[in-house]
Amino acid sequence: MAELYKTKQRELIYNFLKENSSLHITADEISEHLKKQGSRVSMATIYRYLDRLVASKVVRKYHLGNGESACYQYIEDTSDCSGHFHLKCTGCGELIHMECSDLEKFFCHLRDEHNFRADLTQTVVYGECEKCLLKK
Amino acid sequence: MAELYKTKQRELIYNFLKENSSLHITADEISEHLKKQGSRVSMATIYRYLDRLVASKVVRKYHLGNGESACYQYIEDTSDCSGHFHLKCTGCGELIHMECSDLEKFFCHLRDEHNFRADLTQTVVYGECEKCLLKK
DNA sequence: TTGCGTGCAAAGGTTTTGCATGGCA
DNA sequence: TGCCATGCAAAACCTTTGCACGCAA
């Protein structure tokens, strides 16, 4: 499905996302990165392609709140939807990736007791990280 | 603290938020509501006042993702920050308010095991609600 | 009177869209 | 050749800001 045509622009965007699958990347960062590489790709193309990748579940879209731009991340393993979790520090802005067995419990609790199937890959927990708490 | 001056516009906005403290309201909804009441208040005034209310912790600001506008909610009881939680259905868009003792456990787990002090009032869990799951 | 609050209009930033052109198959 | 993809520019959208005027205290 998805892209019928393979183009240079799409290849560049795709590779950048895949090579940085541990990061959350904005459309603007993609544009900047490609510019440094010597390739210029219009924002329209970047957004249009990202929409397709999101629709075909190749990348995930995050919205980290306030006036910030949306972030995109390449999905490493399509099957794993349970163990990965995000914490965003409202102090320093850091995004923490968390793996934890207790999460599964929380997920099951929501499903069994509240009839709500949470999508933890889409969910971001806001709060303050260790470093920022110590600063106070 | 906060507003030194009491004005008609501020009173209207404040009352609307307070009377609907169970809802999450956008700046635009405030504008529309007041328009129906016969009062027109500029968006600039609404946003400026909301900023103040957020700064003085009278209302809470939520960002529900994607291109959606920010939502604001009057804080009923200033002290209660632990037991209230939000689930947003990605299917029908409904925002579910959840009270649950297991949440406290989850909150403590993050704090004790991950050194992260979550702000549950700012956090929204995405997923699918009962109704949308049944539709499938 | 003093200075904060308001409205208007313009600007800001991110994302989307229309249209003509360019490029893959 | 026949579409689809691209770039450009303009528009859409939410939110912020500058400035002159209005109004609370």
Side-chain angles (χ1 to χ4, degrees):
Chain A
M1 65 170 174
E3 61 285 14
L4 297 162
Y5 287 26
K6 197 181 290 180
T7 67
K8 183 149 198 173
Q9 290 90 332
R10 287 182 173 181
E11 198 185 341
L12 289 164
I13 295 168
Y14 183 84
N15 287 341
F16 181 54
L17 285 166
K18 187 159 189 175
E19 284 161 16
N20 295 280
S21 62
S22 68
L23 301 176
H24 292 64
I25 299 165
T26 63
D28 196 60
E29 284 165 351
I30 294 173
S31 171
E32 288 303 312
H33 172 80
L34 298 183
K35 215 175 279 173
K36 277 177 196 159
Q37 266 197 187
S39 322
R40 258 179 291 97
V41 179
S42 74
M43 293 307 287
T45 295
I46 293 172
Y47 278 113
R48 276 189 280 231
Y49 186 45
L50 284 171
D51 279 351
R52 290 196 152 221
L53 291 173
V54 169
S56 44
K57 311 220 171 177
V58 174
V59 309
R60 210 171 273 144
K61 182 179 184 178
Y62 294 94
H63 199 91
L64 298 178
N66 299 318
E68 293 177 46
S69 328
C71 293
Y72 299 84
Q73 179 184 32
Y74 183 82
I75 300 173
E76 202 63 79
D77 34 27
T78 320
S79 57
D80 178 15
C81 293
S82 56
H84 198 171
F85 205 88
H86 296 104
L87 309 175
K88 168 102 172 170
C89 179
T90 52
C92 62
E94 197 189 350
L95 188 69
I96 299 155
H97 300 252
M98 180 180 125
E99 308 241 353
C100 174
S101 62
D102 272 45
L103 267 182
E104 201 111 20
K105 287 185 206 159
F106 180 65
F107 181 81
C108 291
H109 173 79
L110 283 174
R111 188 191 57 207
D112 300 338
E113 305 298 323
H114 299 276
N115 297 308
F116 189 86
R117 184 175 298 272
D119 178 3
L120 295 184
T121 66
Q122 273 288 96
T123 299
V124 180
V125 176
Y126 292 89
E128 281 189 297
C129 73
E130 199 172 2
K131 277 180 278 177
C132 290
L133 286 171
L134 288 174
K135 273 182 201 161
K136 293 187 176 176
Chain B
M1 62 170 178
E3 58 291 11
L4 299 162
Y5 285 30
K6 198 180 292 181
T7 66
K8 184 150 197 173
Q9 290 89 333
R10 288 183 172 180
E11 199 185 341
L12 289 165
I13 296 168
Y14 183 85
N15 287 342
F16 181 53
L17 284 166
K18 187 159 189 176
E19 284 162 15
N20 295 280
S21 62
S22 66
L23 302 175
H24 290 63
I25 299 167
T26 63
D28 197 59
E29 284 166 350
I30 294 172
S31 171
E32 288 302 312
H33 171 80
L34 297 183
K35 214 175 279 174
K36 277 176 196 160
Q37 265 196 189
S39 322
R40 257 179 291 96
V41 178
S42 74
M43 293 306 289
T45 295
I46 294 172
Y47 278 113
R48 276 189 282 230
Y49 186 45
L50 284 171
D51 279 351
R52 290 198 150 220
L53 291 174
V54 170
S56 44
K57 313 223 173 178
V58 174
V59 308
R60 210 171 272 143
K61 181 178 183 178
Y62 294 93
H63 201 91
L64 297 177
N66 299 316
E68 295 176 45
S69 328
C71 292
Y72 299 84
Q73 179 183 31
Y74 183 83
I75 300 173
E76 203 63 80
D77 33 30
T78 318
S79 56
D80 178 16
C81 291
S82 56
H84 198 173
F85 206 87
H86 296 102
L87 309 174
K88 168 102 171 170
C89 179
T90 52
C92 61
E94 197 189 350
L95 188 69
I96 300 155
H97 301 253
M98 182 180 122
E99 306 242 354
C100 174
S101 62
D102 272 47
L103 266 182
E104 201 112 19
K105 287 186 205 160
F106 180 64
F107 179 82
C108 292
H109 172 79
L110 283 173
R111 187 192 56 206
D112 300 337
E113 303 298 323
H114 300 275
N115 297 308
F116 190 86
R117 184 174 300 271
D119 178 4
L120 296 183
T121 65
Q122 272 288 98
T123 300
V124 180
V125 176
Y126 292 90
E128 283 189 296
C129 73
E130 198 172 3
K131 278 180 276 176
C132 290
L133 286 171
L134 287 173
K135 274 183 199 161
K136 294 189 174 175

